[in-house]
């Protein structure tokens, strides 16, 4: 009797083991895939009306610098450019490169511009400081 119970227990345990092993394991695929083309056309705008867009070989940053409590990665660029508070800033940076890996964008351009964003929604990205940016355009790819 003990042998049968042991064999039954072993059989049930093996069945559960096989079921657990055969289930699909969760992948580490990000929910949203970053594409360089996401920055083309309308680009992305933050709640603070900071715009970042790729136009051909140039990166355009347009922003109002107001020394708000909520800092963005673009604010750091404005500080490096010595933009005064209350002044509208707009500049085209040459030789832009947008590289992606999974859900992350890596953007570089002349004058030492280096930015990183993560795609968190179909039309939403977030910078390294936690500032969210939105686009009106859906990805064409």
């Amino acid at each position: 009797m003990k042998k049968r119970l042991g064999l039954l227990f072993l059989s049930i345990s093996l069945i559960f083991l096989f079921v657990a092993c055969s289930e699909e394991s969760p992948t580490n695929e990000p929910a949203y895939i970053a594409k360089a083309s996401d920055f083309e056309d309308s680009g992305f705008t933050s709640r603070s009306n900071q715009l970042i867009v790729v136009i051909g070989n140039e990166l355009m940053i347009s922003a109002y610098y107001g020394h708000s409590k909520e800092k963005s990665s673009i604010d750091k660029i404005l500080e490096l450019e010595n933009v005064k508070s209350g002044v509208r800033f707009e500049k085209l940076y040459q030789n832009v490169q947008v590289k992606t890996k999974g859900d992350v964008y890596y953007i570089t351009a002349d004058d030492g511009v280096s930015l990183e964003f993560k795609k968190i929604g179909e039309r939403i990205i977030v910078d390294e400081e936690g500032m969210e940016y939105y686009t009106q355009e859906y990805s064409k790819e």
Side-chain angles (χ1 to χ4, degrees):
M1 183 69 171
K2 282 187 175 182
K3 281 186 175 180
R4 286 185 182 179
L5 278 176
L7 192 55
L8 179 64
F9 178 73
L10 181 61
S11 298
I12 292 172
S13 297
L14 286 173
I15 291 171
F16 281 122
L17 179 65
F18 288 133
V19 168
C21 289
S22 67
E23 288 182 15
E24 290 183 33
S25 60
T27 63
N28 290 335
E29 289 290 318
Y32 301 97
I33 303 297
K35 297 180 281 299
S37 61
D38 292 344
F39 277 88
E40 297 170 359
D41 300 321
S42 68
F44 289 89
T45 305
S46 75
R47 293 185 300 271
S48 301
N49 283 329
Q50 295 178 329
L51 171 68
I52 180 168
V53 63
V54 173
I55 305 167
N57 190 32
E58 299 175 318
L59 175 69
M60 184 178 82
I61 294 179
S62 177
Y64 175 79
Y65 188 57
H67 290 294
S68 68
K69 291 182 227 174
E70 208 175 16
K71 292 287 183 190
S72 71
S73 294
I74 292 177
D75 283 324
K76 291 184 174 189
I77 290 174
L78 299 180
E79 289 169 0
L80 291 173
E81 294 279 356
N82 295 315
V83 176
K84 304 284 186 236
S85 181
V87 174
R88 184 85 185 155
F89 173 83
E90 188 169 302
K91 184 172 180 178
L92 292 172
Y93 294 90
Q94 302 298 311
N95 300 313
V96 65
Q97 290 187 350
V98 181
K99 295 181 181 179
T100 62
K101 183 175 181 182
D103 58 356
V104 179
Y105 305 89
Y106 302 95
I107 301 173
T108 57
D110 287 355
D111 297 340
V113 172
S114 178
L115 298 163
E116 184 176 313
F117 297 91
K118 181 175 182 175
K119 190 169 187 173
I120 61 169
E122 185 64 33
R123 300 181 314 174
I124 306 168
I125 61 173
V126 63
D127 69 15
E128 295 174 288
E129 305 301 316
M131 178 68 74
E132 290 184 356
Y133 299 76
Y134 310 88
T135 185
Q136 299 300 316
E137 303 282 330
Y138 281 98
S139 177
K140 292 180 174 80
E141 292 181 13

